[in-house]
Amino acid sequence: MGDVANSSVEFHPKPRQQREAPHAGGFGCTLAELRSLMELRGAEALQKVQETYGDVGGLCRRLKTSPTEGLADNTNDLEKRRQIYGQNFIPPKQPKTFLQLVWEALQDVTLIILEVAAIVSLGLSFYAPPGEESEDLLPADGVLIQGNDLKIDESSLTGESDHVRKSADKDPMLLSGTHVMEGSGRMVVTAVGVNSQTGIIFTLLGAGGEEEKKEKKGKQQDGAMESSQTKAKKQDGAVAMEMQPLKSAEGGETEEREKKKANVPKKEKSVLQGKLTKLAVQIGKAGLVMSAVTVIILALYFVIETFVVEGRAWLAECTPVYVQYFVKFFIIGVTVLVVAVPEGLPLAVTISLAYSVKKMMRDNNLVRHLDACETMGNATAICSDKTGTLTTNRMTVVQSYLGDTHYKEVPAPSALTPKILDLLVHAISINSAYTTKILPPEKEGALPRQVGNKTECALLGFVLDLKQDFQPVREQIPEDKLYKVYTFNSVRKSMSTVIRMPDSGFRLFSKGASEILLKKCTNILNSNGELRSFRPRDRDDMVQKIIEPMACDGLRTICIAYRDFSAAQEPDWDNENEVVGDLTCIAVVGIEDPVRPEVPEAIRKCQRAGITVRMVTGDNINTARAIAAKCGIIQPGEDFLCLEGKEFNRRIRNEKGEIEQERLDKVWPKLRVLARSSPTDKHTLVKGIIDSNTGEQRQVVAVTGDGTNDGPALKKADVGFAMGIAGTDVAKEASDIILTDDNFTSIVKAVMWGRNVYDSISKFLQFQLTVNVVAVIVAFTGACITQDSPLKAVQMLWVNLIMDTFASLALATEPPTESLLLRKPYGRDKPLISRTMMKNILGHAAYQLTTIFTLLFVGELFFDIDSGRNAPLHSPPSEHYTIIFNTFVMMQLFNEINARKIHGERNVFHGIFGNPIFCTIVLGTFVIQIVIVQFGGKPFSCSPLSTEQWLWCLFVGVGELVWGQVIATIPTSQLKCLKEAGHGPGKDEMTDEELAEGEEEIDHAERELRRGQILWFRGLNRIQTQIRVVKAFRSSLYEGLEKPESKTSIHNFMATPEFLINDYTHNIPLIDDTDVDENEERLRAPPPPSPNQNNNAIDSGVYLTTRGTKSATSSVFSSRPGSPLHSVETSL
């Protein structure tokens, strides 16, 4: 139990149980009862409390707690409750251990091949022949015992912007994670930790690992405990099914797949990883074939040459020598394989992503999932929030009407008469909550901090902009000296404060929505600060010339007025209509949440980069459209749609209220602004864009979100951005990247880094594949012709080190440039190796092969040295083969510079000094190469070279740069014979069934290797599912399944997709939308009856009624897709 107040919250938690038994520990409530109770709302929750416990007092008695004093400070009792009900703590997701990460890394296909090669080589080595605000937050779920004008902001949990009035006799249910905005109260805590509503969502998002522990413990319990455990699991399962976000009702199979996805951890690799895995497998296969052919040819050549041509007999005493030859051939084959297999690919990806993630942190992007960084490079659509992301989240006065003058910006204090200025400062300073204030910035250079009501902060900021100060006025007239205060609410749409004047008279200050307050004004201050009459036609003229232009600019207009009462004229202060009338207008101001100054340019960059930006906001359509125009999201003359949530739902749903993808496909391509939208509308939009097949390729969607109910949309998106400042913990948990500054420009930087990762991997691939082609051909051809590889095994490993580890570090750490945003997204089907890259790879490979083979066959003549060909088995290193090795390495070093450009650019040195890592690695490799050649000796099969020989090696290496310019002059379009490589996995590679059912569980790029495994695991999976369903029925899993009359859980909107849509007119208040409460509904058309009064869609004007009230029992035994039986079967 605890007291709930707007200034402080003191809780005495009563946590949950871990091992549930009926009335465990002598308490009169079980965990299952309390959890099911907290899922109810409003009248039904109250009815449940009365039916089960009599009243809240009865609930307190069952829980052995006092409604006034709470729990006694009894250590034993508290410990007992912790043992039975647990503690108020949501366990974080268990991080993977180092060994688990190592094990996962070892599953890589290329590494497996290398592991096998390493084991074989290691085995052969043993062969020895003989010789990481001002409102109060509720930390637990509970039932209100007593409250005083208590209002709760449940938007973080339900997505509803309206504050919900709570009372013990109407709606007593209080939920963890929500904020107390007004009033005070006392509650009894009924659910904490993972059993609270926020905890349940965290668990579904995979935050807590406790469910698995429960399952393991359950198996070790006795029969009675097992039964209660099963009920508890059933409870969790029911919640899990209810918490599924609204999906399109496209048929049972879709629902089944979506539910299965929600219960299976995501394993699908990113676009880049999928392409790389597929490419690595293809190259690995080719390398395996080449190495096998190499070994076979060498062995056959040796056997034929020795035993056929020379006619030698196999002598027993010569067996160790023959075995050594075969071991040598095998080592050469393994060397070819090691060089051919691009084991550097996983390393390059990891280095590039890790480097990017570290740098992105400086750009206010906290990356939670590595692959999200790369996926952003392929983004084609961004669905962004408005408040705080596109705007500053700081309400500001930008226009004003003072003294018969319309100011389009803040006027200079000298432009106003002292009387108007003094009245304005007093009216704003006094007629605002004294808890609302402007504080100095926390950091130098930052903006002043706004504390309290945002509209009042805007007005106080206006006072400061006029070079005045509100604090001295408040000190002169402290809060306890205020004579009478009429607080703001959505009915009166104004706030008024009365103070006593020194002459014993009274002065009333009032502020409110201009269309309301101007009707109560009979006078207005002119330019001299004198009163002049304000008649109805003057008001109409002012609305037409001042207020409507402000509204068209997306401004919220507020009127500030006053009225004086003499001491003899003291009115009846309880008669508000009489008191707040006959006012004198001081000013009308237009306030807005201004667009961040850097946002329009950032959106222009996105549009230029082929990314469509959409605004999804809960604000009204007029404000949203105006902000979108200022941001550049919508342009005059463009064909675009700006819709409210109500209209959006009407367009995408059929007569039964079901979402149809075909209807959605007609809306989303032109949609730019979705206003008055709920989090469910956002999820529907994101899912619809991702599932659409209208374009040439699937859209890659990034989404921003800050509320708990944004979790499903953030999860569904390819990349989910959570707000670091305004975001809830659940939103952050569901996201891939956290924007630490809540700024849209940080998303653009994420796009830039993502594209840079893609380009960095392409640069590395271009370099590595050139080395691969040359090294494999040289090793293979040389071995077949000369019975020995020109590049020895240890030299190959050094080359491998250069082209894998060092090159991946050098090329994967290139910083991004603005030029990355000048092209369209690559897309999922774009090949990793473009035709330009293929031209570079084959062109440079041709230069290097020509050089190597020239040196191999005529090099000894050119340098006048002994030939290294056909040397005996254990002969010392030759200068000939050392020159070949050194020249090969020099060509790789200079080709590494060429590899910095992959789009045919000529200036390969551009920006090279901006990457100190690259310069360090190239120079470091050169120094190490000198050491290896001059001092490596027999271990590296090297013989020291003379200065002249070194200069020739360098000369040939520098020739790579010249040859690169020659290649750049050849137009790629003329080379029709070149093929691209590294395509993304196509749909035709799998059957429709496999694409549908294995979409998340099995990586696209590995399907061709795992087709048999897929079928096997799928069959096994279905058998296990059927067994579980049978067990579920045996253990009474379906006891207490949700009955039709209990369909008012806050999650119902998620669980029941069949709705009817009824239109109604949605009024848009012009002042402080955040302060609207349920009283405003009286101003609107009455909604049709709905069993769920807290539906998210009510905000967007969509009234939803469930179709049919089929009993839960009959639904359970229905076998049609989408029935509870089907749902349980797939979610188990």
Side-chain angles (χ1 to χ4, degrees):
M1 223 174 48
D3 293 325
V4 183
N6 200 26
S7 56
S8 65
V9 181
E10 183 180 356
F11 285 96
H12 309 276
K14 182 223 63 60
R16 60 161 176 77
Q17 77 181 37
Q18 205 161 7
R19 292 182 295 172
E20 184 185 331
H23 308 297
F27 298 108
C29 299
T30 65
L31 172 62
E33 290 174 6
L34 294 175
R35 279 181 64 159
S36 60
L37 174 66
M38 293 314 300
E39 288 172 23
L40 307 179
R41 304 290 295 279
E44 190 175 32
L46 196 63
Q47 181 183 352
K48 179 73 173 175
V49 170
Q50 291 169 349
E51 287 176 358
T52 310
Y53 311 107
D55 56 13
V56 180
L59 175 60
C60 292
R61 285 190 292 277
R62 293 261 197 112
L63 294 172
K64 297 185 178 180
T65 183
S66 164
T68 54
E69 303 297 326
L71 297 177
D73 190 13
N74 184 326
T75 306
N76 292 334
D77 180 57
L78 293 174
E79 187 58 36
K80 180 180 176 183
R81 290 174 187 267
R82 285 195 190 98
Q83 290 296 324
I84 295 170
Y85 295 106
Q87 56 185 354
N88 193 13
F89 172 71
I90 299 174
K93 190 172 184 178
Q94 194 69 24
K96 291 178 180 175
T97 64
F98 176 74
L99 289 177
Q100 285 175 314
L101 292 171
V102 170
W103 178 249
E104 285 186 6
L106 290 175
Q107 307 308 304
D108 186 84
V109 178
T110 52
L111 289 181
I112 290 172
I113 296 173
L114 290 169
E115 287 156 17
V116 172
I119 291 169
V120 171
S121 290
L122 186 63
L124 288 171
S125 69
F126 289 108
Y127 172 76
E132 154 89 80
E133 229 170 268
S134 53
E135 64 269 15
D136 290 323
L137 182 74
L138 293 179
D141 291 355
V143 180
L144 186 66
I145 299 172
Q146 172 269 326
N148 302 313
D149 196 23
L150 183 63
K151 286 186 182 177
I152 304 292
D153 177 7
E154 294 186 345
S155 61
S156 65
L157 198 64
T158 65
E160 299 170 14
S161 57
D162 291 359
H163 295 167
V164 181
R165 188 183 296 277
K166 298 288 183 178
S167 61
D169 57 348
K170 286 185 180 177
D171 185 1
M173 314 312 283
L174 301 174
L175 304 173
S176 62
T178 59
H179 293 84
V180 179
M181 303 306 291
E182 293 181 23
S184 60
R186 183 177 285 120
M187 65 181 264
V188 57
V189 176
T190 56
V192 295
V194 295
N195 288 298
S196 65
Q197 296 302 300
T198 299
I200 289 168
I201 298 174
F202 259 109
T203 303
L204 291 172
L205 292 175
E210 237 171 76
E211 300 302 315
E212 296 173 20
K213 294 178 188 174
K214 282 185 186 177
E215 285 183 26
K216 290 176 185 173
K217 288 183 182 177
K219 293 175 183 175
Q220 300 164 1
Q221 308 280 331
D222 57 31
M225 292 302 292
E226 185 172 344
S227 173
S228 61
Q229 275 282 357
T230 307
K231 289 181 182 177
K233 284 186 199 170
K234 173 242 124 197
Q235 181 83 10
D236 293 348
V239 173
M241 281 189 288
E242 278 197 347
M243 281 302 299
Q244 295 305 315
L246 175 66
K247 305 291 196 303
S248 61
E250 298 160 348
E253 290 181 8
T254 304
E255 290 178 16
E256 178 183 344
R257 280 206 311 274
E258 296 295 347
K259 288 176 181 174
K260 189 181 289 185
K261 286 180 193 175
N263 288 282
V264 176
K266 255 183 153 179
K267 279 187 69 179
E268 185 179 2
K269 292 183 180 179
S270 68
V271 179
L272 179 60
Q273 286 173 316
K275 292 178 181 179
L276 283 174
T277 304
K278 185 176 179 182
L279 185 64
V281 168
Q282 291 170 341
I283 295 173
K285 284 179 179 177
L288 198 59
V289 171
M290 289 288 285
S291 64
V293 170
T294 303
V295 173
I296 292 168
I297 289 176
L298 285 170
L300 285 174
Y301 188 95
F302 173 76
V303 169
I304 294 170
E305 177 75 18
T306 306
F307 300 114
V308 177
V309 176
E310 296 180 5
R312 294 183 187 177
W314 184 294
L315 301 175
E317 59 268 24
C318 294
T319 299
V321 177
Y322 297 150
V323 169
Q324 275 190 309
Y325 270 104
F326 285 114
V327 169
K328 176 186 174 184
F329 299 153
F330 190 84
I331 288 175
I332 291 173
V334 170
T335 304
V336 171
L337 175 64
V338 168
V339 172
V341 174
E343 69 274 26
L345 281 181
L347 180 65
V349 174
T350 304
I351 289 176
S352 184
L353 290 175
Y355 175 77
S356 299
V357 164
K358 183 180 177 183
K359 294 292 185 182
M360 285 173 73
M361 189 62 205
R362 297 181 187 175
D363 287 338
N364 303 304
N365 283 274
L366 175 58
V367 180
R368 298 183 67 249
H369 300 136
L370 274 179
D371 60 352
C373 168
E374 171 263 314
T375 306
M376 269 311 292
N378 290 295
T380 57
I382 298 174
C383 296
S384 174
D385 285 344
K386 175 182 73 72
T387 306
T389 308
L390 299 173
T391 62
T392 61
N393 198 21
R394 298 171 58 85
M395 299 303 288
T396 309
V397 174
V398 293
Q399 293 186 31
S400 57
Y401 181 79
L402 287 156
D404 290 339
T405 306
H406 184 185
Y407 297 96
K408 291 295 181 74
E409 52 189 31
V410 177
S414 57
L416 305 175
T417 60
K419 181 180 178 182
I420 292 178
L421 191 60
D422 184 66
L423 276 171
L424 183 66
V425 171
H426 278 74
I428 293 174
S429 304
I430 295 169
N431 189 33
S432 298
Y434 277 38
T435 53
T436 300
K437 58 189 78 170
I438 308 289
L439 299 178
E442 290 180 332
K443 292 186 281 187
E444 188 177 350
L447 294 169
R449 288 178 292 151
Q450 293 186 342
V451 178
N453 182 281
K454 288 185 171 62
T455 302
E456 293 181 343
C457 283
L459 295 173
L460 293 176
F462 186 46
V463 170
L464 297 177
D465 290 341
L466 288 169
K467 306 294 185 284
Q468 306 298 308
D469 194 358
F470 58 87
Q471 201 56 45
V473 177
R474 289 182 170 181
E475 289 170 359
Q476 182 185 350
I477 306 173
E479 195 170 9
D480 55 7
K481 295 288 181 64
L482 301 179
Y483 192 79
K484 177 73 176 177
V485 176
Y486 301 96
T487 58
F488 177 90
N489 67 33
S490 59
V491 175
R492 58 168 70 103
K493 286 193 178 181
S494 65
M495 174 182 178
S496 302
T497 303
V498 180
I499 60 170
R500 187 183 286 275
M501 302 296 285
D503 61 359
S504 297
F506 301 93
R507 174 167 288 173
L508 173 139
F509 292 113
S510 190
K511 71 169 185 288
S514 56
E515 76 277 11
I516 301 291
L517 219 56
L518 283 176
K519 292 178 182 176
K520 300 181 179 181
C521 291
T522 55
N523 296 288
I524 190 169
L525 296 178
N526 63 16
S527 56
N528 297 320
E530 298 167 351
L531 272 65
R532 69 171 173 82
S533 177
F534 190 66
R535 293 162 295 184
R537 79 160 174 263
D538 296 325
R539 182 174 66 246
D540 294 340
D541 194 48
M542 188 175 193
V543 167
Q544 185 179 348
K545 293 182 179 178
I546 306 298
I547 294 175
E548 284 184 359
M550 285 186 181
C552 289
D553 288 338
L555 306 185
R556 184 180 296 158
T557 54
I558 295 175
C559 177
I560 301 169
Y562 80 104
R563 179 183 179 183
D564 285 331
F565 298 91
S566 64
Q569 290 179 326
E570 183 171 353
D572 176 8
W573 298 112
D574 292 331
N575 188 348
E576 185 184 343
N577 288 332
E578 182 187 328
V579 172
V580 185
D582 196 19
L583 302 174
T584 299
C585 176
I586 303 172
V588 172
V589 296
I591 68 172
E592 71 168 355
D593 184 3
V595 172
R596 289 178 182 266
E598 65 274 19
V599 163
E601 178 59 26
I603 287 177
R604 271 195 296 275
K605 288 179 181 177
C606 281
Q607 292 166 341
R608 195 167 59 234
I611 302 170
T612 303
V613 181
R614 295 177 175 86
M615 179 198 292
V616 183
T617 178
D619 212 336
N620 69 68
I621 188 76
N622 292 333
T623 302
R625 187 186 286 113
I627 295 295
K630 290 177 183 176
C631 290
I633 291 176
I634 56 177
Q635 304 282 353
E638 282 188 353
D639 185 16
F640 59 81
L641 284 176
C642 294
L643 300 178
E644 284 191 338
K646 174 189 70 173
E647 174 65 14
F648 174 69
N649 277 279
R650 189 185 68 77
R651 291 193 182 203
I652 66 171
R653 295 177 186 268
N654 59 22
E655 298 75 15
K656 297 179 181 178
E658 299 167 342
I659 297 168
E660 290 184 354
Q661 185 65 43
E662 296 76 19
R663 291 175 179 242
L664 198 50
D665 287 343
K666 294 176 182 176
V667 174
W668 73 259
K670 292 183 180 180
L671 184 67
R672 294 295 178 271
V673 176
L674 184 58
R676 287 293 186 211
S677 65
S678 69
T680 307
D681 294 334
K682 182 188 285 188
H683 177 271
T684 302
L685 175 62
V686 171
K687 182 183 182 301
I689 296 175
I690 290 175
D691 291 349
S692 176
N693 295 315
T694 54
E696 293 180 3
Q697 56 190 21
R698 178 171 98 65
Q699 296 278 308
V700 178
V701 184
V703 172
T704 68
D706 53 13
T708 297
N709 252 23
D710 286 329
L714 290 169
K715 273 283 188 188
K716 181 65 184 174
D718 293 288
V719 181
F721 286 89
M723 301 295 115
I725 299 171
T728 62
D729 288 342
V730 173
K732 291 173 185 175
E733 182 66 28
S735 69
D736 300 297
I737 299 175
I738 297 173
L739 297 178
T740 56
D741 62 347
D742 291 11
N743 194 336
F744 184 84
T745 52
S746 299
I747 300 177
V748 180
K749 289 174 183 173
V751 172
M752 204 159 68
W753 275 106
R755 293 188 174 189
N756 188 62
V757 167
Y758 201 98
D759 277 11
S760 295
I761 301 306
S762 295
K763 291 172 187 176
F764 170 73
L765 267 176
Q766 178 175 295
F767 173 71
Q768 189 185 43
L769 292 182
T770 305
V771 184
N772 270 28
V773 169
V774 175
V776 170
I777 292 177
V778 167
F780 174 76
T781 309
C784 293
I785 295 174
T786 67
Q787 290 293 291
D788 192 10
S789 173
L791 299 173
K792 308 302 180 185
V794 177
Q795 294 173 352
M796 281 287 203
L797 292 175
W798 167 235
V799 170
N800 221 31
L801 189 64
I802 294 174
M803 73 180 189
D804 286 343
T805 311
F806 292 165
S808 60
L809 193 58
L811 293 170
T813 53
E814 287 276 331
T817 61
E818 290 284 336
S819 61
L820 290 165
L821 298 175
L822 298 178
R823 61 168 173 79
K824 305 297 182 190
Y826 279 136
R828 291 181 168 265
D829 304 323
K830 173 88 173 176
L832 267 174
I833 303 170
S834 65
R835 291 175 65 198
T836 302
M837 289 172 62
M838 189 65 78
K839 177 185 73 174
N840 292 337
I841 291 169
L842 296 179
H844 288 290
Y847 173 85
Q848 293 182 19
L849 286 171
T850 303
T851 304
I852 295 295
F853 285 131
T854 301
L855 288 173
L856 178 59
F857 295 111
V858 297
E860 72 274 17
L861 301 176
F862 181 81
F863 287 102
D864 192 20
I865 53 177
D866 293 334
S867 172
R869 296 190 303 277
N870 302 316
L873 189 61
H874 297 294
S875 59
S878 66
E879 281 184 295
H880 183 196
Y881 274 22
T882 302
I883 289 173
I884 293 173
F885 165 59
N886 198 34
T887 304
F888 181 70
V889 172
M890 289 300 108
M891 288 192 293
Q892 306 320 317
L893 277 181
F894 287 97
N895 190 37
E896 197 166 344
I897 298 173
N898 280 327
R900 294 184 64 249
K901 304 298 177 185
I902 56 174
H903 300 298
E905 302 95 330
R906 284 192 172 276
N907 185 2
V908 294
F909 292 98
H910 178 70
I912 193 170
F913 296 112
N915 185 4
I917 296 176
F918 182 90
C919 298
T920 303
I921 284 175
V922 170
L923 291 174
T925 304
F926 182 68
V927 170
I928 295 172
Q929 178 67 14
I930 294 174
V931 174
I932 288 174
V933 169
Q934 298 302 111
F935 308 104
K938 191 163 186 178
F940 283 92
S941 300
C942 287
S943 174
L945 301 180
S946 66
T947 305
E948 182 185 355
Q949 290 167 340
W950 264 102
L951 289 174
W952 276 111
C953 293
L954 275 172
F955 175 76
V956 175
V958 172
E960 269 285 0
L961 297 176
V962 179
W963 185 248
Q965 296 301 308
V966 174
I967 293 174
T969 59
I970 303 171
T972 308
S973 57
Q974 299 297 319
L975 303 173
K976 304 292 185 184
C977 57
L978 291 180
K979 300 291 183 184
E980 299 166 322
H983 288 267
K987 291 185 180 179
D988 57 343
E989 293 177 28
M990 293 196 69
T991 63
D992 290 341
E993 183 186 5
E994 286 169 336
L995 281 170
E997 292 190 32
E999 187 174 354
E1000 294 292 338
E1001 293 89 342
I1002 295 148
D1003 172 46
H1004 294 292
E1006 295 174 7
R1007 280 187 178 133
E1008 60 179 291
L1009 297 177
R1010 301 174 58 188
R1011 199 173 290 268
Q1013 294 175 12
I1014 294 169
L1015 298 173
W1016 165 253
F1017 283 121
R1018 189 172 296 151
L1020 184 62
N1021 217 7
R1022 286 173 177 163
I1023 292 170
Q1024 289 174 334
T1025 301
Q1026 291 164 4
I1027 291 171
R1028 286 172 182 163
V1029 172
V1030 171
K1031 283 184 179 178
F1033 275 104
R1034 285 178 181 170
S1035 56
S1036 305
L1037 180 66
Y1038 294 103
E1039 285 181 12
L1041 249 184
E1042 189 178 42
K1043 296 181 178 64
E1045 62 269 19
S1046 66
K1047 276 278 186 185
T1048 54
S1049 158
I1050 62 168
H1051 314 306
N1052 265 359
F1053 181 51
M1054 309 278 186
T1056 310
E1058 295 84 13
F1059 299 107
L1060 289 175
I1061 301 178
N1062 299 307
D1063 292 334
Y1064 87 109
T1065 305
H1066 198 300
N1067 293 335
I1068 302 169
L1070 290 178
I1071 180 169
D1072 215 349
D1073 293 334
T1074 57
D1075 288 319
V1076 179
D1077 65 11
E1078 75 280 3
N1079 293 325
E1080 187 178 350
E1081 295 302 326
R1082 293 190 294 166
L1083 302 175
R1084 305 176 182 175
S1090 169
N1092 185 357
Q1093 295 301 324
N1094 281 291
N1095 239 325
N1096 293 336
I1098 288 180
D1099 280 347
S1100 58
V1102 183
Y1103 282 99
L1104 310 162
T1105 56
T1106 56
R1107 294 175 62 84
T1109 54
K1110 207 173 194 177
S1111 74
T1113 309
S1114 63
S1115 295
V1116 165
F1117 295 99
S1118 166
S1119 61
R1120 64 177 178 82
S1123 70
L1125 171 58
H1126 212 78
S1127 302
V1128 170
E1129 179 182 332
T1130 54
S1131 64
L1132 279 171

